[in-house]
Every structure is written in C-alpha cells, then in structure tokens.
Amino acid sequence: MVFGSDFKLEWNELKRFEKLSDIQRSIVFYVEDENYYIYLKSIMNELTKIQKINICYVTSSKSDPLLEIQNEKIKSFYIGNGTVRTKFFLNLKADLLIMTMPDLETFHIKRSKVKSVNYVYVFHSAVSTHLIYRKDAFDNFDTILCVGDYQIKEIQERELKYNLNCKKLIKCGYPRLDELIKEYQTFLELNKNYLVENQILIAPSWGENGLIETKGEEIISKLLDSDYKVILRPHPMTIKKSSKIIQKIKDKFVQNQNFKFEQDIRTFDSFFTSEYVISDWSGVAIEYAFTTKKPVLFIDLPKKMRNQEYEKISFVPLEERIREQIGEILSPNDISQLDGKIHFMKKNQDEYSKIIESIYHEIIFNKGNSAEIAVNEILQLMNEQKKSAK
C-alpha cells in the first residue's frame, strides 16, 4: 500500500507527540477543525500565559494557524482525520484531553485503551444538551464544563433516567461568550460609527431543514429588494454538505454590491457592525443576542433535532424556551413580512435589550471569568490524575 505525503506527515507528527515525556503531554487539547480553536482560546491563554503551564494542541486541520505558533508553552501537532487520528486516540497517554467535539466513543473517536485519561468537554454553543446533539453525545466524558444550570439539570436527568455513570459537572460559564463581550466593548470604544445602517447578517445553522438550504435564496432576494445590505455567513458544515446551494447563491448575488459572502467564522466583526441577525436554530444567535443585547429574527423552520428522544428529558431546550424573548419569530411562509419584522425590532430595541440582559444574567455561570474557573478546574483534575497514577 502506498501512502500519500499527508499520511507520512500525520504519522511523523504522531510519533513526535508520543516521544514527549509524561509531563509534556499531561494536558492535551484537540480540535477537529481550526474553527473550533476560538472556543478553547481563552482557556489555553489562561493556562499558558497566566499559569505558565505547558500544553499540547492537536488538530485534524492541516491549515490550522496554531501549527505555526511560536510559543514555547504550546506544542502543536497535526494528525489528520483518518487512521493516524484513530491511533492517536486509542493509544493516548495524557492526564487530560480537552475537546469541543461531542460523541466520544460513538464513532471513530474512542477513549484511550492504554491509560485512564480524564476527558473534558467544552461547549461550543450555549444551547441545551438534548435537542441538537445526539442522545448519547456526552455520556462518555468524565468532566463537562457547563455554561449554565440548565445543562447540569439536563445531563443529570439523563444520567438518572438511563442509569449512567455520573460525570463531574462544573459550573463554568461560557469562555467564548466572555471573550466576545470584551471584544465588543473594545470594538465600540474604537469605532464610534460602527453600525452599518440597514446591514443584516444571515447566520443560520446547517442541515436539510436549515435556513440556507430551504429559504436562503428567497430571503436574500427579499432583503436586497428592500435595500438592505446582506452578509451571508454559512455554517462550515453548510459549505461542506450543501456546496451546490452555496454556489448557486453566490452566482446569483455576487455582482450585487450590497451582498457579501463571509466564510471565516473565526471573526465576529460582522455581528458587531450589523443592525440585526437573521437565523434559525443556530446557537450563534444566542451569542449575538447576549453579546450585543440586540434581538434576533428567527425564521421558524423545523427544529434542528439529532435526538429524536429529546422530549424524554423533561426540560424545554433553552434555544426553544428563550427565542420568543430574545427576538421575533417569522414563519417561512411569511418572508414577505421580513421588512415589517425588522422595523418592529428597531422600534422596540430598548425593551429587547433589557429582556436579553436579564436572561443573560439569569442563566450564564461566572460571567466575565469563566476561563479562570475552567483552568482552576483543569489544574485540579490534573493533580488528581497524577495522584491516582501514583
């Protein structure tokens, strides 16, 4: 069998990782795509810059910018997403593996067969745990850094109902949201005339019932015809899974000076400068509302549901429970009313801001210092792992 250059590179990277001492690979972060680094960034910074701890960063993306990082506290490795990655996980020798990817043990990502590793999950969205995720998405983690009390209650009810091992559920908060709020405040201070009048950002989720896949072209046409400036920011999975639809939209609107296609989801500037966001069931809508304190226009498409049994958990998912409070909901059959809904939100902006602020303070743990909380827990877990090994 002849292997390509990528396989050789991945294999050499794995060998380089495995040659590290136990101390050097005590704390390992893994991302399947460089887009997910933003959810780990503040935790990694707190560990390396404040606590002066050495960490490993393992990525499945060959284009991940952190592979080129010049930081003596961070050792980066590229392992691809095939055979080498499978071997990496099966033979992992680390105290902690921290990741944003759910479904541990469900597909190719397995727990280590050679060492008792503590697997730590960090949320990359503030949504609930039992609707958009598979029913067993978190069952095989040891520790979960929870955004709010609602996630703790959902997970605990599942553990009880299905007789699962109890995980360590940490009252952490949402480091990415803390970071966004700081970035937004800095952005406002540096940009007095930051808001682009009549600019609307479309930032939906992905899937066959997603906004772009079903109503994207119609919504963009309606907004452009109403003299709005439109930024389309698809989920990376939409670009991957629905490339023909994306290409059709780009071909149709690319010549329109009021249309912009945004592919890099690592930047949030378009959220800061846009008057409003249009979404469906995307968790990023919650991030936008809590960051800017502005309402969201939700297109009422079918729920993004990966867990067909989600109603067996008694709690109404957060993204369903608060959407009427943090924005307006529009039927996909009433796209002609888009302009009216946007004007209604403008008229009631102050009232929405008060409601959004109240909900944010009610449901999110450790606002402003969640990364510090996360790191304190990580260091405690690391020490416990080392004591257990002895």
Side-chain angles (χ1 to χ4, degrees):
M1 183 180 291
V2 178
F3 294 107
S5 58
D6 275 4
F7 179 84
K8 292 178 182 178
L9 172 61
E10 293 161 10
W11 186 254
N12 287 335
E13 288 284 271
L14 177 59
K15 289 193 290 185
R16 184 167 69 90
F17 173 83
E18 292 182 338
K19 286 179 180 178
L20 296 176
S21 68
D22 290 346
I23 294 176
Q24 287 176 310
R25 48 177 156 73
S26 178
I27 300 177
V28 180
F29 289 81
Y30 168 75
V31 295
E32 66 271 34
D33 182 303
E34 67 259 36
N35 288 316
Y36 291 95
Y37 164 66
I38 58 176
Y39 302 101
L40 300 172
K41 179 182 176 183
S42 57
I43 298 175
M44 290 172 58
N45 285 344
E46 180 77 19
L47 272 170
T48 57
K49 294 181 180 179
I50 307 300
Q51 300 292 338
K52 308 298 182 185
I53 301 294
N54 293 317
I55 64 173
C56 292
Y57 177 84
V58 181
T59 176
S60 287
S61 174
K62 193 176 181 180
S63 59
D64 195 319
L66 256 72
L67 291 170
E68 306 297 329
I69 192 171
Q70 301 298 315
N71 186 332
E72 63 180 13
K73 294 294 181 184
I74 302 176
K75 295 186 183 299
S76 299
F77 304 85
Y78 164 65
I79 59 167
N81 54 18
T83 305
V84 174
R85 180 176 72 168
T86 300
K87 181 174 173 58
F88 164 80
F89 275 92
L90 286 174
N91 295 324
L92 179 64
K93 293 180 180 179
D95 291 315
L96 306 178
L97 181 69
I98 303 166
M99 55 199 288
T100 66
M101 186 169 71
D103 301 309
L104 181 65
E105 282 286 313
T106 303
F107 299 106
H108 300 298
I109 306 301
K110 306 293 185 182
R111 293 178 65 99
S112 174
K113 304 303 180 186
V114 299
K115 184 174 179 178
S116 178
V117 179
N118 191 305
Y119 290 82
V120 182
Y121 185 78
V122 178
F123 281 97
H124 59 266
S125 175
V127 298
S128 281
T129 60
H130 58 302
L131 177 62
I132 73 165
Y133 295 101
R134 293 178 178 88
K135 63 179 181 179
D136 53 357
F138 310 108
D139 289 355
N140 293 294
F141 285 91
D142 302 289
T143 305
I144 300 183
L145 304 181
C146 297
V147 174
D149 198 48
Y150 58 99
Q151 291 179 336
I152 291 179
K153 291 177 179 177
E154 294 159 3
I155 294 170
Q156 287 178 333
E157 182 173 326
R158 176 169 171 77
E159 289 173 343
L160 185 62
K161 187 178 291 290
Y162 295 96
N163 195 29
L164 303 173
N165 290 333
C166 293
K167 291 166 281 298
K168 191 168 188 179
L169 305 177
I170 307 302
K171 294 182 178 182
C172 178
Y174 194 10
R176 175 57 179 161
L177 181 58
D178 287 344
E179 194 174 42
L180 283 174
I181 291 172
K182 290 177 184 176
E183 289 177 8
Y184 186 53
Q185 294 306 315
T186 301
F187 184 88
L188 295 181
E189 292 169 4
L190 296 176
N191 300 274
K192 299 300 181 184
N193 298 311
Y194 71 97
L195 201 64
V196 178
E197 188 176 1
N198 289 330
Q199 178 173 290
I200 304 295
L201 176 66
I202 302 175
S205 187
W206 65 278
E208 61 180 357
N209 293 318
L211 186 154
I212 291 176
E213 290 84 352
T214 60
K215 290 289 182 177
E217 187 176 334
E218 182 181 353
I219 289 173
I220 294 169
S221 291
K222 175 61 180 173
L223 290 170
L224 292 174
D225 288 345
S226 300
D227 294 326
Y228 287 100
K229 301 176 181 69
V230 179
I231 299 177
L232 178 64
R233 181 184 169 105
H235 191 285
M237 289 301 291
T238 300
I239 297 173
K240 181 178 180 180
K241 299 280 189 180
S242 303
S243 58
K244 291 182 179 179
I245 294 174
I246 290 294
Q247 192 58 52
K248 182 182 178 184
I249 289 174
K250 289 169 74 173
D251 289 344
K252 181 171 181 177
F253 299 111
V254 70
Q255 299 300 324
N256 191 314
Q257 62 181 3
N258 285 331
F259 175 78
K260 179 182 177 182
F261 182 83
E262 184 172 89
Q263 188 165 338
D264 187 355
I265 68 167
R266 290 171 295 181
T267 175
F268 222 69
D269 285 2
S270 59
F271 284 82
F272 298 163
T273 60
S274 296
E275 282 199 313
Y276 296 104
V277 161
I278 295 176
S279 191
D280 43 23
W281 290 94
S282 174
V284 79
I286 299 175
E287 294 175 13
Y288 167 80
F290 286 169
T291 298
T292 66
K293 308 302 185 289
K294 291 189 286 187
V296 177
L297 178 54
F298 295 99
I299 306 302
D300 199 23
L301 293 158
K303 294 172 186 171
K304 183 179 179 182
M305 183 193 311
R306 288 191 189 161
N307 178 11
Q308 300 297 324
E309 301 177 5
Y310 84 95
E311 289 182 317
K312 290 185 177 180
I313 302 300
S314 63
F315 300 101
V316 177
L318 178 80
E319 59 270 37
E320 181 178 350
R321 175 163 54 91
I322 69 171
R323 66 199 312 240
E324 287 188 4
Q325 298 171 276
I326 66 171
E328 286 293 306
I329 301 175
L330 181 66
S331 167
N333 299 319
D334 296 328
I335 300 303
S336 61
Q337 298 178 21
L338 266 173
D339 194 35
K341 285 287 187 181
I342 292 171
H343 281 291
F344 180 84
M345 291 194 300
K346 284 185 181 182
K347 183 179 178 181
N348 295 279
Q349 172 75 60
D350 291 343
E351 188 63 29
Y352 276 116
S353 295
K354 293 175 185 176
I355 295 171
I356 292 169
E357 181 77 23
S358 175
I359 294 173
Y360 162 68
H361 281 285
E362 176 189 347
I363 69 172
I364 305 294
F365 288 138
N366 300 308
K367 292 164 283 292
N369 68 328
S370 58
E372 182 181 346
I373 299 296
V375 166
N376 288 340
E377 183 62 32
I378 286 167
L379 295 178
Q380 182 177 331
L381 290 171
M382 181 181 70
N383 291 332
E384 290 173 359
Q385 287 287 103
K386 293 187 183 301
K387 287 180 182 178
S388 176
K390 289 181 180 179

